Structure formats: structure tokens, C-alpha cells
Amino acid sequence: MTERPAISPTRQEDFPDWYQQVIAAADLAENSEVRGCMIIKPWGYAIWERMQRELDRRIKAAGHRNAYFPLFIPLSFLEKEAEHVEGFAKECAVVTHHRLEASEGRLVPGAPLTEPLVVRPTSETIIGAAFARWIQSYRDLPLRINQWANVVRWELRPRLFLRTSEFLWQEGHTAHETAEEAEAEALRMLRLYEGFLQEMLALPAVAGEKTPRERFPGAVRTLTLEVLVQDRKAIQAGTSHFLGQNFARANGISFLSPEGRQEHAWTTSWGVSTRLVGTLIMAHSDDNGLALPPRVAPTQIILLPLIRREEERATVEQACARLVAELEEKSYAGEPLRVEIDARPLPGGSKSWEWVKKGVPLRIEIGPREVAAGTVSVSRRDRPPRERLSLSVRQFVEGAEQTLAEIQNGFWERADAFRKAHTRRIESREEFIEFFTPSDPEKPEIHGGFAELSWAGDAALEEKIHEEQKVTIRCIPLDQSSERGVCPFTGKPGNHWVLLGRAY
């Protein structure tokens, strides 16, 4: 009889529900009383903090400085850039009053604002107004600013971490003297994100450019990183925008050039959000719960003391304390090992399964037998839950860094192999339809993936494909093959290769 996994339903049975159950089992987040908004619980927030800390280090190393800008944006600021306001209009939350007053036993909005304020959906306009004051001369350029903040985009179909009305993110904004410098900056920051995804989160992503249909409102170019997760849908994991001079003109960001001419600056913006936590879950987790690459795991090694009788307690606890002290002298990826002891008075099996579901890379059991033998019982999150290896304390401590590196590399190799296995080059319309059509429409199985094809279509064709198949062009990959095929939809020679898929 096959043992039932910890998470029900499984990925194959119901992927969307599986995702929600993994979040609940790992105690990452929950829905709040405000529809569409989530409460990020301590373990989920600790994962975000790990991401935030490393990204912040990389962003600062790239020459950007942190600042903070207002949560509220005057409506008139958004109206300055027509395409921008049109792109965000349906998602905006708007503040119209500044006081509550008692009326017939209830609180009602009182004094109306002179001008409505939009709760920050993104900050190009409010930061643009500041840039217009800060930049006077070419000597003030380039200006590189980053902000860690929350934003609000009213979401009709919320899903924890992936789509919520309020979420956390960082948004970088830069201004440059020339278009070439700004475009280079947008690409540089996309590559920074790409390296972070690979090295920290073990996530392979396709770097590419969005089509005009999918472009950020008001941008000249939008660059993106697309990740394929285990239900073979794409997640946009990060974006970087070359804004040209659109926002500079709208906000009056100008400078005196070396030749004495007044010119508009060239700007960029770029960001990633708590959506990365959802991407991490969907890419790496399994039917026993969350699975965390060691570099992003808040706790890399959990020690589980096995104490059945009170007279065993002192011996086992002392052994655990000694092991923690030895492990904390070791490092992995340039940081001390993150070790924790779970000393709660709970059965060992219950505690072990809890940490399986939380995704901790290494679980170490120590009882009286292990203390007497000078050994530890080691379980890895990338192996079956009941698989244990007995090692001497010295073997384990000396090999801990290598073991964590093996686990991290294994996460990357599995995710990369999955992406490659479910990316298909499409040569006909029939093949395209078959690729995105389930065998059983009544109960669709996991199907599809990334479809790569030579494209000679236009925006109207792109829209038609979306309407008929719910498939979009995720990106025009930056790394293009030199060969050019025939577009399966038009029969014409393709202009470039594109990647299509269903997406969150």
C-alpha cells in the first residue's frame, strides 16, 4: 500500500487547491478580513526577508540608494501620462475623504478632499515629480533610487502571494543623460534579477522583451523574466522598463546638457514583489509540502531532540546545544549556517512532519541512542520524508556546507530540466492547439508549457490567440536563434522567435 502524501489534494489531482494547502500547511500566509489582502505569517515573512536582504545587497552594489516616497499619489499626477493612467485606472484604489463622522450611530466619510488621492499602484509619477526637483544639470545624472514599499492594485480574483490587492515589492527608478545609458540600465537590472533567481531561488527564467500588447503602460520597452512552474503555466517573476522620455516629459524631468541645452532625461523603472514567494512554492514544492532551496530557507537545519523520559532530557539537550555551537561556526554561501532547535514537548514524528511541510532543507534527530553513539540521524528535504542517514557528528558538521550546496544545486537542476522538458518548438497551428488542449476537457490534466515559435503576426492575431486559447506571448527571448522559421499562424517567414504560454 502506497503511503498517502502529506498534502491533499496532490499536484496532479488539483494544482490550485494543492497550492493553497501547501501555504496553509507551511503556515506562510492567510486571507485577511479585507477581501483580496493577505496576512503574511512569520515563516512566510522570513522567506520574503531572506529575498529582500539579498536583493537589497545586490541593488546597492549596483549603485542604487534606498529612499521612501508617499503612499498617496494625487490623481492629477497619474493624469499627466495618458497611457499610464489608462493602464492602471481599473486597478486603482482612491481616497476621496479625510475624516470620519458619526451619523445615526454609524461612521461615514466626512470632509471631501480637494483632489482625490490614489493609493500607490506604482510610483513613476510621484518619484518623477521628485526627480524633476533633484535634477538640474547633467552633473546630477545618472540618478539611481530604489524603494521598498507596499502597493495596491485592486484584484478581482485574488490568490495568496500571486495576486493580492496589496503586496510588497521593491521598485527601482533611474534617470540618465542618454537613451543608450537608460536602455543599458534596464537590461543590467533585468540580468541582476536573473542572477538572483538562479543563485538564490534556484529558478531558471527566460529573459525576454514584452510585445506592445503586454508592455508596461507608458513604457517604450518592457523586459521580463518568465518562469515555468509545475502546472506548466508561466509566472512573470520580474520586469524592467525602459521608459524613454515619456515620464520625463510628463513630469518635467529636464537637465542642462554639457552643450548648454535643456533636455529631458531618459528614465527606467524595475521591480520584483512577494509574487516571488508564490513562484518559489509552485516551482519547487511537492506533495509533502513546501520545499525551500537552502539559500532562501530561514532555517537551514532543524534539530529535533528525541526525549521519551525525563532522565534523558539533560543529556540530549546538551548534545543539541553542542551541535548548534559547532554548526554555527560553519558557513554556506558566505553566511553562517542558520540552525534552530525545536524543543517543544511534542511527539518526534509530529515535529518532523511539520518541518517537512515547512520545507527546511535538513532535519536532524538526536536521541539517547545517537548521543551514546556520537551520531545524528539526517533527513534531507530533497529525499523521501522517511529516508534517514546515520552519520557521525563530525561527518555531519564537516559535510554540512557541501550537503546544502548539493541540495541547492539539485533544486536548480530539477527546475531547469522541467522547463526544458516542457518547452516545445511549434511548427503548425494544429500542433499549437494540441499542445494547449487537455485530453479530458471535463477534468483537464496538467498540460501545455512554453510554446516556442517563429512569429510574423500582429497585435490583432495576438489578441485572437488569447481569446481562443487563453494563451499569451510571454516574451520575445533576448537570446535568439539565428535561424528563422515560418510562422504557423500566418505562413510567413518569422521576424523573431517568441515564447507563448498560459500565465498567472
Side-chain angles (χ1 to χ4, degrees):
M1 180 178 174
T2 304
E3 187 177 21
R4 185 72 184 170
I7 303 299
S8 182
T10 65
R11 289 164 291 179
Q12 293 295 329
E13 290 168 345
D14 187 337
F15 193 89
D17 194 21
W18 165 86
Y19 173 74
Q20 301 292 341
Q21 295 307 320
V22 169
I23 291 173
D27 207 26
L28 299 176
E30 65 184 19
N31 290 306
S32 75
E33 290 77 7
V34 180
R35 186 186 179 280
C37 296
M38 64 177 168
I39 297 168
I40 305 177
K41 301 176 83 171
W43 189 246
Y45 197 79
I47 293 169
W48 173 243
E49 282 183 313
R50 288 289 309 152
M51 296 182 185
Q52 184 184 42
R53 190 175 296 117
E54 176 61 18
L55 259 177
D56 193 64
R57 183 191 69 78
R58 293 183 185 218
I59 289 169
K60 286 173 179 172
H64 306 81
R65 295 180 297 169
N66 285 345
Y68 186 80
F69 296 85
L71 173 67
F72 301 116
I73 300 173
L75 181 61
S76 59
F77 279 38
L78 286 176
E79 291 174 332
K80 290 177 182 178
E81 217 294 321
E83 188 180 349
H84 189 65
V85 69
E86 184 181 351
F88 282 105
K90 294 179 181 178
E91 300 177 346
C92 286
V94 185
V95 178
T96 57
H97 293 71
H98 68 83
R99 186 170 65 226
L100 293 174
E101 297 174 348
S103 175
E104 299 179 357
R106 299 183 63 189
L107 289 173
V108 297
L113 296 173
T114 306
E115 179 182 0
L117 298 173
V118 175
V119 183
R120 173 175 52 216
T122 182
S123 298
E124 278 75 11
T125 56
I126 194 81
I127 291 178
F131 277 18
R133 294 191 299 274
W134 300 350
I135 296 168
Q136 301 299 321
S137 161
Y138 71 93
R139 295 183 179 88
D140 300 321
L141 299 172
L143 179 58
R144 296 186 173 99
I145 293 292
N146 179 61
Q147 169 174 242
W148 291 95
N150 61 336
V151 293
V152 172
R153 297 179 185 177
W154 214 253
E155 184 58 55
L156 298 178
R157 292 179 292 278
R159 188 178 309 213
L160 291 172
F161 291 113
L162 293 179
R163 287 192 177 277
T164 50
S165 295
E166 179 191 15
F167 54 91
L168 307 179
W169 77 349
Q170 61 74 213
E171 52 178 317
H173 298 264
T174 69
H176 303 266
E177 186 177 347
T178 68
E180 292 75 20
E181 287 178 13
E183 282 201 86
E185 180 79 353
L187 179 58
R188 183 171 76 115
M189 297 315 294
L190 187 83
R191 294 302 190 188
L192 183 148
Y193 290 151
E194 185 179 27
F196 168 79
L197 292 180
Q198 176 175 340
E199 296 157 20
M200 190 79 172
L201 308 186
L203 290 173
V206 178
E209 181 173 355
K210 290 291 189 182
T211 62
R213 181 183 182 276
E214 298 287 325
R215 192 180 290 157
F216 178 75
V220 175
R221 296 181 68 193
T222 288
L223 305 177
T224 180
L225 292 167
E226 301 289 327
V227 174
L228 190 70
V229 294
Q230 292 180 79
D231 64 347
R232 305 191 206 169
K233 290 183 181 177
I235 296 183
Q236 181 178 287
T239 51
S240 183
H241 315 289
F242 169 53
L243 304 174
Q245 294 178 311
N246 294 343
F247 287 87
R249 289 194 181 94
N251 291 284
I253 308 172
S254 63
F255 64 94
L256 195 65
S257 74
E259 295 76 29
R261 295 191 302 269
Q262 201 70 24
E263 298 182 7
H264 285 107
W266 301 82
T267 65
T268 77
S269 65
W270 29 272
V272 298
S273 74
T274 38
R275 168 176 276 218
L276 286 180
V277 179
T279 308
L280 194 74
I281 296 166
M282 287 190 164
H284 294 313
S285 300
D286 59 25
D287 295 335
N288 288 312
L290 183 65
L292 292 173
R295 290 198 62 179
V296 77
T299 299
Q300 294 168 324
I301 304 172
I302 185 71
L303 271 56
L304 304 172
L306 302 179
I307 302 169
R308 295 177 179 83
R309 296 190 295 274
E310 191 58 33
E311 57 267 29
E312 301 169 346
R313 180 175 301 280
T315 301
V316 173
E317 288 181 347
Q318 288 170 11
C320 288
R322 286 195 300 271
L323 181 55
V324 168
E326 288 186 60
L327 288 169
E328 287 180 340
E329 290 295 315
K330 300 291 182 179
S331 64
Y332 166 62
E335 297 180 287
L337 298 185
R338 296 184 291 280
V339 190
E340 185 178 341
I341 300 175
D342 185 348
R344 294 174 299 165
L346 296 172
S350 299
K351 286 198 288 189
S352 182
W353 270 108
E354 182 175 328
W355 292 103
V356 169
K357 291 183 281 190
K358 282 181 173 288
V360 170
L362 290 172
R363 306 184 310 284
I364 310 301
E365 294 184 348
I366 304 177
R369 283 187 302 179
E370 284 78 16
V371 176
T375 62
V376 290
S377 180
V378 182
S379 299
R380 293 169 48 149
R381 186 61 185 85
D382 60 343
R383 303 280 173 82
R386 298 193 185 279
E387 182 180 302
R388 290 178 175 82
L389 182 64
S390 181
L391 296 174
S392 72
V393 171
R394 181 175 180 180
Q395 273 182 300
F396 174 67
V397 172
E398 293 300 320
E401 180 180 358
Q402 181 181 342
T403 302
L404 291 171
E406 286 176 4
I407 295 171
Q408 181 82 23
N409 292 338
F411 273 96
W412 164 264
E413 289 168 1
R414 282 189 299 277
D416 193 44
F418 180 87
R419 177 184 63 83
K420 290 174 180 174
H422 299 294
T423 300
R424 186 194 295 184
R425 181 161 288 191
I426 301 293
E427 296 183 351
S428 71
R429 182 191 295 263
E430 293 72 25
E431 187 183 4
F432 179 85
I433 293 171
E434 178 271 329
F435 187 59
F436 288 109
T437 302
S439 301
D440 182 1
E442 298 298 318
K443 191 178 180 182
E445 77 283 4
I446 292 175
H447 63 283
F450 279 153
E452 182 184 46
L453 57 87
S454 193
W455 179 254
D458 56 16
L461 178 57
E462 206 177 333
E463 184 64 35
K464 182 180 180 184
I465 291 170
H466 178 241
E467 289 176 1
E468 293 178 352
Q469 298 293 325
K470 307 303 180 191
V471 171
T472 54
I473 295 179
R474 302 314 309 153
C475 69
I476 305 164
L478 296 182
D479 299 324
Q480 286 274 322
S481 169
S482 58
E483 62 176 298
R484 287 288 180 267
V486 174
C487 176
F489 294 99
T490 65
K492 299 176 182 177
N495 301 313
H496 42 241
W497 295 93
V498 295
L499 209 63
L500 295 96
R502 295 201 173 103
Y504 284 96

